[in-house]
Amino acid sequence: MSAQLNRFILVMAAGALVVLTMATPAGAVFDPIATEPVAPYAQPVDASVPKRGCTTTPADPKNTTGSTPAVQVIYAWHDGNGNNYEAYVERIAKIVDRMDWLLDESTNYDQHIKTSCRTGYDTSTYSGYAHALVIPEKIELADPAAENPPEVMADDLAAAGYDDANRKYVVFEDFDGTGTAHCGPVCVATADEWDSGTMMHELIHLHNVDHAKVTEVPDTLAVNDVMSSQYNDWQVDQEFNNYYDPSEVSALFYTSNHPSTNKVNLAAYPQFTTPICCDVGYSNDLLTAQERTIEAQAPYSFPTGFSVSGGGWMQITPPGADNQVSARYYDGRRSLTMNVQAHAEGFLSITRRPAVTAGQRYKFFTRLTTGASGDVKLRLSWYNGSNSLISTSDSSLYALTSDWQEYNVSAIAPSGTATVQLSVVSPSGQNFAYLTDSWQLNHCNNGKTVDGCRIDG
Ligand SMILES: [Zn+2]
């Protein structure tokens, strides 16, 4: 049933810090150990990485029909480089632990990889867990000197009986292979450069997620993402708007260029556990997918969840130039257009006021552009439990440009605050239209980055 996925060959990049090293086993000619990604902040040292453990341990790993969907980890070797399973098994398990860590650490949701283990080992010890988690498989290579494509791994695993549709096979290649996601006859995520960022990147591809793009910026890659720079960055969709939203698993996101209609949410991956709110992780967002993206609304319709007061009126952006309708290049989702009128200060707001905690810092982001020229500022309006306005926190006044640029304002919720309203404010005396999209409200409590909020851009 598996469709052939596009192959995603990785571009090698240099410069990442070495946080994991291991000597190549004596006699081996191939060294698969790569470097771990270190952004947006360093991963914990090996001893502090949580042990993922086994989610399910079927009696026969080759017959898992009816068991929970899970990832099966494979160590792939061939005669030319020898079987180095004992030398590498704990290293591979640690990389899988790091893959699980980066998924959980990416957001304030608790979510994990479901792993499939084999019987016969004492998983209370790390060595026993690693041996149960990682299964060695000898691969016959037609040409060991050549770069071996993922089809070789998929065909070999299927022929050996690893062919269950509820398994995604994560294949650590101990020979010249590729960093690839491939389905047919079974789904394999492969890497011959072993690190958690690379393997997670390929595993995510198996859920039909493409490389992360900045949703509203035509053809622009989101650079700080495991789907764009997996050698440096371990985090998953920090803005909750490209392919991963654990706060709404039913929300779907276009993940490939227009006119692709593929829509997914990585948070609903059957091989992952159900996300649970809330703990502390790198990113978070207090808006709904609709408020964040103006999700998939047709032109000329009314922008659900938003309201306007004062000088102006709003609409879903009508058909127009590609650089105005973000949808054209990328995802089919349209931005919101605010038609500013001169007679009064204009307020474009998210109608709902998310709950916040007094004394904590919050940061409001949005992307804005205009085909003309005009000035706006961002505003956080703090309300108490009786729905009375306490005070407002404004950004500086921005002169908008023809580029989709991100703007933000950050402030600490004053004493007595219960909720906050997000607004873009246009001073009176102007007649122009601006476009806005990609709204986000972060609670700056991760304790891991400079002001506790995600890094801009
Ligand atoms: Zn890729």
Side-chain angles (χ1 to χ4, degrees), residues 257-380:
N257 278 323
H258 183 77
S260 169
T261 55
N262 179 53
K263 294 173 76 174
V264 300
N265 185 344
L266 181 67
Y269 206 167
Q271 279 73 24
F272 292 170
T273 60
T274 301
I276 298 169
C277 193
C278 303
D279 56 18
V280 175
Y282 174 56
S283 62
N284 62 73
D285 186 75
L286 301 181
L287 304 183
T288 67
Q290 163 61 23
E291 292 161 345
R292 197 177 298 130
T293 65
I294 311 162
E295 168 73 9
Q297 289 194 298
Y300 310 114
S301 66
F302 188 80
T304 304
F306 290 81
S307 49
V308 164
S309 62
W313 59 281
M314 66 176 177
Q315 64 190 140
I316 295 293
T317 301
D322 288 347
N323 66 352
Q324 295 290 298
V325 184
S326 59
R328 287 295 179 80
Y329 276 110
Y330 182 52
D331 67 356
R333 285 192 296 249
R334 290 175 180 276
S335 59
L336 187 158
T337 295
M338 171 70 168
N339 301 287
V340 175
Q341 297 170 314
H343 64 85
E345 193 174 38
F347 300 88
L348 170 65
S349 306
I350 287 181
T351 309
R352 189 181 65 94
R353 295 201 301 260
V356 294
T357 303
Q360 301 272 304
R361 178 172 291 275
Y362 294 85
K363 196 167 189 175
F364 161 36
F365 301 82
T366 183
R367 289 198 177 88
L368 299 162
T369 187
T370 182
S373 65
D375 297 337
V376 302
K377 57 188 174 183
L378 274 54
R379 173 169 293 176
L380 294 160

Side-chain angles (χ1 to χ4, degrees), residues 52-371:
R52 175 60 194 126
C54 301
T55 307
T56 179
T57 307
D60 177 2
K62 297 182 181 183
N63 183 11
T64 59
T65 303
S67 82
T68 189
V71 163
Q72 175 64 64
V73 181
I74 302 288
Y75 166 73
W77 63 281
H78 82 106
D79 282 334
N81 200 47
N83 181 351
N84 304 301
Y85 179 78
E86 289 301 331
Y88 284 142
V89 61
E90 291 188 40
R91 170 52 53 203
I92 293 171
K94 188 60 68 176
I95 292 171
V96 174
D97 286 345
R98 289 182 178 280
M99 291 165 68
D100 188 67
W101 175 87
L102 74 84
L103 175 67
D104 188 43
E105 184 78 8
S106 284
T107 74
N108 62 332
Y109 280 74
D110 183 78
Q111 187 169 36
H112 295 277
I113 299 172
K114 293 195 281 187
T115 57
S116 184
C117 290
R118 55 178 173 168
T119 58
Y121 296 92
D122 174 10
T123 56
S124 68
T125 71
Y126 201 82
S127 174
Y129 155 63
H131 282 76
L133 177 72
V134 184
I135 294 179
E137 173 66 16
K138 182 179 178 180
I139 308 289
E140 300 301 333
L141 302 177
D143 181 5
E147 183 177 78
N148 291 276
E151 288 86 345
V152 174
M153 267 45 75
D155 289 346
D156 188 294
L157 288 171
Y162 297 102
D163 58 358
D164 283 341
N166 65 8
R167 289 292 181 271
K168 303 295 184 191
Y169 297 96
V170 167
V171 183
F172 289 83
E173 300 164 321
D174 192 11
F175 45 77
D176 189 0
T178 61
T180 305
H182 166 83
C183 281
V186 299
C187 289
V188 293
T190 69
D192 65 351
E193 300 250 324
W194 300 354
D195 65 85
S196 64
T198 297
M199 198 53 107
M200 194 63 172
H201 175 111
E202 304 304 345
L203 178 61
I204 291 172
H205 272 323
L206 288 180
H207 193 55
N208 218 356
V209 171
D210 205 342
H211 297 137
K213 295 196 173 181
V214 178
T215 310
E216 288 75 28
V217 182
D219 286 343
T220 301
L221 285 171
V223 293
N224 302 316
D225 193 287
V226 75
M227 296 312 290
S228 293
S229 59
Q230 66 276 15
Y231 295 98
N232 190 56
D233 296 88
W234 51 256
Q235 72 273 34
V236 174
D237 194 3
Q238 65 178 1
E239 294 167 314
F240 286 55
N241 66 359
N242 275 302
Y243 58 88
Y244 181 65
D245 181 357
S247 72
E248 287 179 79
V249 291
S250 61
L252 298 175
F253 302 95
Y254 293 90
T255 63
S256 297
N257 278 323
H258 183 77
S260 169
T261 55
N262 179 53
K263 294 173 76 174
V264 300
N265 185 344
L266 181 67
Y269 206 167
Q271 279 73 24
F272 292 170
T273 60
T274 301
I276 298 169
C277 193
C278 303
D279 56 18
V280 175
Y282 174 56
S283 62
N284 62 73
D285 186 75
L286 301 181
L287 304 183
T288 67
Q290 163 61 23
E291 292 161 345
R292 197 177 298 130
T293 65
I294 311 162
E295 168 73 9
Q297 289 194 298
Y300 310 114
S301 66
F302 188 80
T304 304
F306 290 81
S307 49
V308 164
S309 62
W313 59 281
M314 66 176 177
Q315 64 190 140
I316 295 293
T317 301
D322 288 347
N323 66 352
Q324 295 290 298
V325 184
S326 59
R328 287 295 179 80
Y329 276 110
Y330 182 52
D331 67 356
R333 285 192 296 249
R334 290 175 180 276
S335 59
L336 187 158
T337 295
M338 171 70 168
N339 301 287
V340 175
Q341 297 170 314
H343 64 85
E345 193 174 38
F347 300 88
L348 170 65
S349 306
I350 287 181
T351 309
R352 189 181 65 94
R353 295 201 301 260
V356 294
T357 303
Q360 301 272 304
R361 178 172 291 275
Y362 294 85
K363 196 167 189 175
F364 161 36
F365 301 82
T366 183
R367 289 198 177 88
L368 299 162
T369 187
T370 182

